[in-house]
Amino acid sequence: MPTGHHTAAAGRASGPPRAEGSTGTERSYHPRVIRTWQDAELAAVDHMRSLGFADSRVTGAGADGGIDVIAQDAVAQVKHYSQPIGVGPVRELRGVTDAHQHLLFYASGGYTAAARQFADERGVALYSLAELGHITPLNEAATRLSARPASTSGWSQAAAWGRGASTARASQRAAELEAQRQTVLRLITRVRAHTSELHALPSNRYTKDLIKALKAAHKLIERADSLLAKSRADFQTHGGRKQLISMADEKAREAALKLGMRA
């Protein structure tokens, strides 16, 4: 959960909280009293599991990108605010997720008209969080999710096949991202090797422009490294990882250009 939320967020725990009393398979949602942002996130986990997203979990401390709860096919942002949520956080959630994922937003203080309009246009499910834990769908996307049929034995085989197909797609997408990551890593290695060669030049070969280029390339490569490391974080979605790898590639190519290399 981004900074700036309710004052109760101060002193966030170092590890992700876990939903209590939930096996991940039940369909009924049992309201819990919401006093803190932790309560709000756990209520969202319980609710998402009741909607059929059985692997829902809190992303934990350090997560960013507007995601507080994640599942294989859904992500959610949770705001324990007293004031209405504007369009910015809703747009942020839409921007870091994949097209196939369900997007859910939980808020204690409601939403502005602009936020509701954006959510309706982009299919973001909006829910209200009451102090006593009751969760209410506020738009069509949320109503559709809440009305999804419960799992039954009659179609368990089809559901298992669907999970298998989904897992296969996820594996393929992960392999594609890893290939892209390795491409960026190779470019970073080339830039660093070239930087070492330039550092080995006699001192009389150094110019102000060369020194400036070396410093700029070093900063860009460090940034690219940081972005690649962040792309491996568990809380990142496929879309988030892809965006971070793309940004790392851009920084590495810019560094190569600073040194007169072909990217």
Side-chain angles (χ1 to χ4, degrees):
M1 183 179 297
T3 58
H5 50 71
H6 193 273
T7 53
R12 173 185 278 256
S14 59
R18 297 182 179 275
E20 302 164 359
S22 175
T23 65
T25 58
E26 63 270 21
R27 292 289 305 186
S28 59
Y29 168 69
H30 303 287
R32 63 170 73 221
V33 176
I34 298 174
R35 297 189 178 93
T36 67
W37 61 266
Q38 294 101 325
D39 294 334
E41 290 187 353
L42 292 174
V45 170
D46 290 343
H47 184 256
M48 287 177 64
R49 288 178 175 178
S50 77
L51 295 177
F53 305 113
D55 59 337
S56 297
R57 60 182 175 84
V58 174
T59 56
D64 62 1
I67 298 175
D68 296 312
V69 180
I70 188 169
Q72 180 174 319
D73 296 319
V75 294
Q77 187 167 172
V78 185
K79 294 292 190 184
H80 186 44
Y81 285 3
S82 58
Q83 67 271 24
I85 298 302
V87 68
V90 184
R91 183 183 290 116
E92 181 183 34
L93 177 64
R94 173 73 276 180
V96 299
T97 51
D98 301 330
H100 77 283
Q101 290 176 309
H102 294 283
L103 310 179
L104 298 83
F105 207 114
Y106 297 85
S108 301
Y111 305 87
T112 65
R116 284 175 173 265
Q117 180 178 351
F118 181 86
D120 289 343
E121 292 172 352
R122 304 303 177 89
V124 180
L126 299 182
Y127 292 92
S128 68
L129 278 170
E131 185 178 356
L132 296 180
H134 298 290
I135 294 178
T136 306
L138 297 181
N139 65 351
E140 183 180 351
T143 301
R144 285 199 304 269
L145 274 182
S146 300
R148 293 201 311 168
S151 175
T152 63
S153 57
W155 56 277
S156 58
Q157 185 175 0
W161 180 88
R163 286 194 297 271
S166 179
T167 300
R169 287 196 302 270
S171 297
Q172 180 181 356
R173 282 144 50 94
E176 292 171 353
L177 281 186
E178 184 59 29
Q180 294 170 13
R181 186 184 287 112
Q182 291 300 322
T183 298
V184 179
L185 281 173
R186 286 193 291 271
L187 178 56
I188 289 175
T189 300
R190 285 178 51 211
V191 171
R192 282 185 167 146
H194 188 64
T195 299
S196 297
E197 293 174 1
L198 292 176
H199 278 301
L201 292 173
S203 58
N204 61 359
R205 295 281 301 276
Y206 277 79
T207 64
K208 289 183 177 180
D209 287 342
L210 177 57
I211 294 173
K212 184 178 179 181
L214 285 169
K215 288 182 177 179
H218 175 74
K219 289 182 179 179
L220 289 165
I221 288 300
E222 290 298 309
R223 179 58 176 157
D225 251 348
S226 175
L227 289 166
L228 284 185
K230 191 175 181 180
S231 73
R232 293 180 177 274
D234 288 342
F235 65 82
Q236 293 288 351
T237 63
H238 176 84
R241 290 188 174 96
K242 186 173 183 179
Q243 183 180 24
L244 288 166
I245 293 171
S246 177
M247 291 168 62
D249 181 64
E250 181 181 341
K251 297 299 180 185
R253 289 177 181 275
E254 188 177 349
L257 184 62
K258 292 285 186 184
L259 300 177
M261 298 173 58
R262 290 183 59 185

